[in-house]
Amino acid sequence: MEMQLNRRTFLGSAAATGTGSLLGMLGLTLSPAVARAQGRASSYRPSKLTTTICPYCAVGCGAVVACEEVDGKRVVTNIEGDPDHPINEGALCPKGASIRQLSDNEKRLKKVLYRAPGAEEFVEKDWGWAAKEIAKRIKKTRDESFTLKNAKGETVNRTTAIASVGSAALDNEECWLYQKFLRGIGLVYIEHQARI
Ligand code: SF4
């Protein structure tokens, strides 16, 4: 016979039978649940699988990236949680589950766009121009602001005129190289998206 439960009979049943029995009647259990992703091996069999770390936040979940050759180019066809990774054991949050969009996204900017001071329009520039322009501006600001010693006469070798915030799209190794570079030129204001 199908059991009809309203709020009154639910509370009465809970008191009379105990919560565990009631959950059993409802087909539920208090036993620890095993996450569905745990221990799950992917059934997807692409031409190449590579493990990586999700770049979006400080949790550092492991992911498996699948690639295929399409028209002579290697493209990312799937990214899913790494079941062997000790942090996430195969799970990814929605943000991590979408990291394929970092490599395959028609809205992603792939060219340098520059808007000069006072200009209204962006103009397309090449990467060589952009790299030289950034280097030139960093050097100028650093040269003008570099401090060898602080007010107590202690050696500091720093600039406080340049700061860095970034980046959500860098992996561990890229972050390590990037902060080495920043500290090497004297930056002390160094932040990362994961800490904000
Ligand atoms: S999958 Fe989600 S929780 Fe894990 S590192 Fe990426 S953003 Fe953070």
Side-chain angles (χ1 to χ4, degrees):
M1 184 180 76
E2 190 178 334
M3 186 175 177
Q4 297 295 321
L5 277 183
N6 57 29
R7 182 173 178 275
R8 187 176 296 275
T9 54
F10 178 89
L11 293 174
S13 300
T17 64
T19 307
S21 303
L22 178 63
L23 290 174
M25 288 159 58
L26 295 172
L28 303 174
T29 172
L30 292 176
S31 304
V34 177
R36 286 191 187 281
Q38 283 179 357
R40 181 173 65 89
S42 173
S43 58
Y44 184 55
R45 294 284 176 271
S47 56
K48 184 171 173 59
L49 286 174
T50 312
T51 55
T52 190
I53 306 292
C54 172
Y56 278 134
C57 89
V59 174
C61 297
V64 182
V65 181
C67 290
E68 302 274 8
E69 292 281 331
V70 178
D71 297 332
K73 284 167 70 178
R74 181 165 286 170
V75 296
V76 176
T77 51
N78 185 53
I79 296 181
E80 58 191 47
D82 182 354
D84 295 328
H85 198 279
I87 290 176
N88 54 315
E89 297 183 329
L92 286 178
C93 79
K95 203 168 165 187
S98 71
I99 49 180
R100 184 179 159 210
Q101 294 173 7
L102 291 175
S103 72
D104 181 15
N105 190 335
E106 63 183 25
K107 292 184 178 166
R108 184 178 174 187
L109 280 181
K110 294 182 179 162
K111 294 177 178 166
V112 175
L113 294 179
Y114 172 69
R115 184 163 65 84
E120 293 186 355
E121 302 293 329
F122 282 92
V123 292
E124 213 174 287
K125 297 281 189 182
D126 62 61
W127 289 97
W129 178 90
K132 278 187 195 151
E133 196 64 23
I134 292 167
K136 190 174 77 186
R137 292 173 190 218
I138 289 176
K139 180 169 185 337
K140 180 173 183 295
T141 306
R142 180 179 182 271
D143 288 350
E144 289 170 355
S145 61
F146 202 76
T147 311
L148 296 174
K149 295 189 184 294
N150 64 12
K152 295 180 190 166
E154 297 162 336
T155 300
V156 288
N157 289 332
R158 70 187 177 201
T159 172
T160 53
I162 311 173
S164 171
V165 181
S167 160
L170 298 182
D171 63 22
N172 280 359
E173 293 74 17
E174 289 166 335
C175 283
W176 184 85
L177 280 173
Y178 185 51
Q179 65 88 24
K180 283 279 180 194
F181 163 72
L182 296 175
R183 293 187 197 286
I185 62 172
L187 263 71
V188 288
Y189 295 146
I190 301 172
E191 253 310 346
H192 185 270
Q193 171 267 349
R195 276 168 33 92
I196 296 174

